[in-house]
Amino acid sequence: MTHASILITGAGIAGPALAYWLNRYGMKTTLVERAEELRTGGQNVDLRGGGREVARLMGLEDEVRARNTTEEGIHFVDEAGRTRASLPATAFGGEGPVAELEILRGELAKLLYERTRDGTEYLFGDRVAGLVERGDKVHVQFLKGPERAFDLVIAADGLRSKTRELVFADEAEIKSFGAYVAYFTIPRLGSDGTWSRMLNAPGSRSVILRPDNQGTTRAFLGFFTRERGLDRLEPAEQKARLRRVFADVGWEVPRVLSEMETAPDFYFDTVAQVKMPRWSRGRVALVGDAGYCPSGFTGMGTSLAMVGAYVLAGELARHADHRAAFESYEAILRPYVTRAQSLPPGLPRLANPKTRAGIALEHALLRVATRPVISRLVGRLVSTSDKSITLPDYSHVGHATSA
């Protein structure tokens, strides 16, 4: 597929990572992003296993380390602010709740954009409105720009991919966990420190304050409910719901709710996985969350995006026929995705107790979790070692150029 023209939808993590590798193999890439400019907000993401290896192959690992969020670990606190248990970033071989390699999503997005902006045509402030496959081309109608034709289209536009809907209709199974999360940035106080702090409140509610490397604090609010559709409400209604849900919770929560009102990057969404029976149809394929979002509960979203982009680009470079490339991409990646989407028995409910007794038990278990024998047992539960992948070697295929 050398010299093919490829449209990628979505400038998050998977899209620019894919563009990077396609450019390396001599393909012509165009990336359309509905936002008016690169989205540099977002919470911490971590690179684990194969995702870390892909970052290394891209020459990004040192830059990611240089932009580390500085978190030293996580304290589990009660509503009086007292630490009940702690896990350092080194716990479980650096694969615990706070991973060894943490970076803000926006920082990683900027790194990928910087690596691709000279070789990729970026179309900000637009999106795909329709597409039709005719012969050996996909004719794409944009919401704003003129119609254009490409050899292939790759959807990398997230959990609610509009491109996926256009091509695969209702084939996607969106598996909800019955949970909603909100992320936003608040001013840092001296008491925030260099450790993340997490509060579990009765009713399966959680609050996390995480330090970043920009002098601010990243706030997280999460709760479980049987209600559906809260992610489709307007931001003002979502904030009102959060105020009601967390109204009786102590600790730093009043501060968090107050700062939420003026946070410039407020984001609210459901926690879900995407399961697809296939990741390609004709000349269109899916990568990252658009095809196999694992949910934030797995900690594998960024790594799946990076690995998926690497494998898809490599298979397109290795095969002359896009159909063979898509089939091989799925054969290689699907077992990895299946493992990445799996959760230990009982999670995520076990990590979000409903009662005070459940919270006390969780803290007790966490206090002994770092003892050698227990650590090895827990490490096997939380580690991503069983969710690893042996990356194919594409260094000699296509027209690969040096990074």
Side-chain angles (χ1 to χ4, degrees), residues 84-402:
R84 293 303 187 182
S86 299
L87 292 176
T90 55
F92 315 124
E95 299 286 357
V98 174
E100 179 187 2
L101 209 57
E102 298 264 355
I103 184 173
L104 293 173
R105 179 210 161 276
E107 291 278 278
L108 181 57
K110 283 192 288 186
L111 286 176
L112 293 170
Y113 174 68
E114 290 166 1
R115 287 285 199 284
T116 55
R117 61 184 174 186
D118 292 334
T120 296
E121 176 190 16
Y122 274 84
L123 306 175
F124 286 104
D126 207 348
R127 65 177 177 86
V128 173
L131 44 82
V132 178
E133 187 174 327
R134 290 199 294 268
D136 60 356
K137 296 287 183 181
V138 182
H139 294 262
V140 180
Q141 298 87 45
F142 294 94
L143 188 65
K144 297 178 181 178
E147 179 177 317
R148 294 172 60 175
F150 300 88
D151 294 315
L152 302 173
V153 174
I154 310 296
D157 45 348
L159 172 67
R160 293 180 181 77
S161 170
K162 297 300 182 184
T163 311
R164 183 187 66 218
E165 290 181 10
L166 289 171
V167 177
F168 297 87
D170 59 355
E171 286 188 30
E173 176 192 352
I174 309 299
K175 178 186 175 183
S176 172
F177 287 95
Y180 293 93
V181 293
Y183 305 99
F184 47 94
T185 304
I186 65 175
R188 180 178 295 188
L189 299 181
S191 58
D192 287 341
T194 56
W195 285 63
S196 288
R197 293 175 293 160
M198 178 174 181
L199 169 72
N200 283 117
S204 297
R205 297 171 293 175
S206 57
V207 185
I208 307 176
L209 294 179
R210 307 186 72 168
D212 61 25
N213 61 347
Q214 299 182 358
T216 52
T217 293
R218 306 288 162 144
F220 165 99
L221 297 171
F223 66 99
F224 285 77
T225 178
R226 292 182 179 179
E227 291 186 76
R228 297 293 180 264
L230 300 185
D231 50 307
R232 294 191 291 272
L233 298 176
E234 291 298 317
E237 295 176 282
Q238 292 166 348
K239 291 178 180 180
R241 176 57 60 92
L242 287 167
R243 288 195 301 271
R244 291 196 296 272
V245 169
F246 290 91
D248 64 332
V249 183
W251 185 50
E252 301 270 5
V253 173
R255 165 200 171 196
V256 171
L257 293 176
S258 176
E259 297 290 356
M260 174 183 72
E261 297 303 323
T262 55
D265 56 352
F266 176 80
Y267 176 82
F268 183 100
D269 206 353
T270 186
V271 182
Q273 291 184 340
V274 173
K275 295 180 181 290
M276 292 287 295
R278 54 180 172 169
W279 297 337
S280 65
R281 183 174 184 180
R283 290 180 171 270
V284 181
L286 308 172
V287 69
D289 283 356
Y292 34 84
C293 175
S295 90
F297 289 142
T298 67
M300 292 292 292
T302 303
S303 290
L304 276 185
M306 298 285 281
V307 172
Y310 172 80
V311 173
L312 177 54
E315 292 305 310
L316 285 170
R318 194 166 69 86
H319 291 86
D321 188 311
H322 69 278
R323 291 166 294 189
F326 290 161
E327 288 175 7
S328 186
Y329 156 63
E330 184 161 345
I332 292 169
L333 202 68
R334 189 171 283 276
Y336 177 54
V337 168
T338 299
R339 294 192 299 272
Q341 289 189 329
S342 66
L343 289 165
L347 287 180
R349 283 291 187 177
L350 286 177
N352 297 272
K354 286 185 177 182
T355 65
R356 294 191 184 278
I359 294 168
L361 176 60
E362 178 187 54
H363 290 164
L365 293 173
L366 288 167
R367 282 195 292 274
V368 300
T370 54
R371 294 179 183 175
V373 175
I374 304 299
S375 178
R376 287 192 292 272
L377 177 62
V378 177
R380 285 195 291 269
L381 274 176
V382 303
S383 175
T384 56
S385 61
D386 65 332
K387 300 176 181 177
S388 60
I389 183 173
T390 300
L391 296 177
D393 182 2
Y394 300 118
S395 59
H396 303 295
V397 301
H399 289 67
T401 58
S402 59

Side-chain angles (χ1 to χ4, degrees), residues 34-85:
R34 65 188 307 163
E36 296 296 329
E37 57 186 11
L38 188 70
R39 300 188 210 193
T40 57
Q43 291 284 308
N44 305 38
V45 297
D46 46 60
L47 291 171
R48 304 169 185 260
R52 184 182 304 181
E53 178 64 11
V54 172
R56 186 189 67 78
L57 292 171
M58 296 175 75
L60 282 173
E61 187 175 18
D62 288 343
E63 292 191 61
V64 170
R65 289 188 184 279
R67 290 166 171 78
N68 195 283
T69 55
T70 71
E71 284 179 293
E72 295 184 40
I74 182 168
H75 293 310
F76 297 87
V77 303
D78 61 21
E79 291 191 52
R82 296 170 295 195
T83 297
R84 293 303 187 182

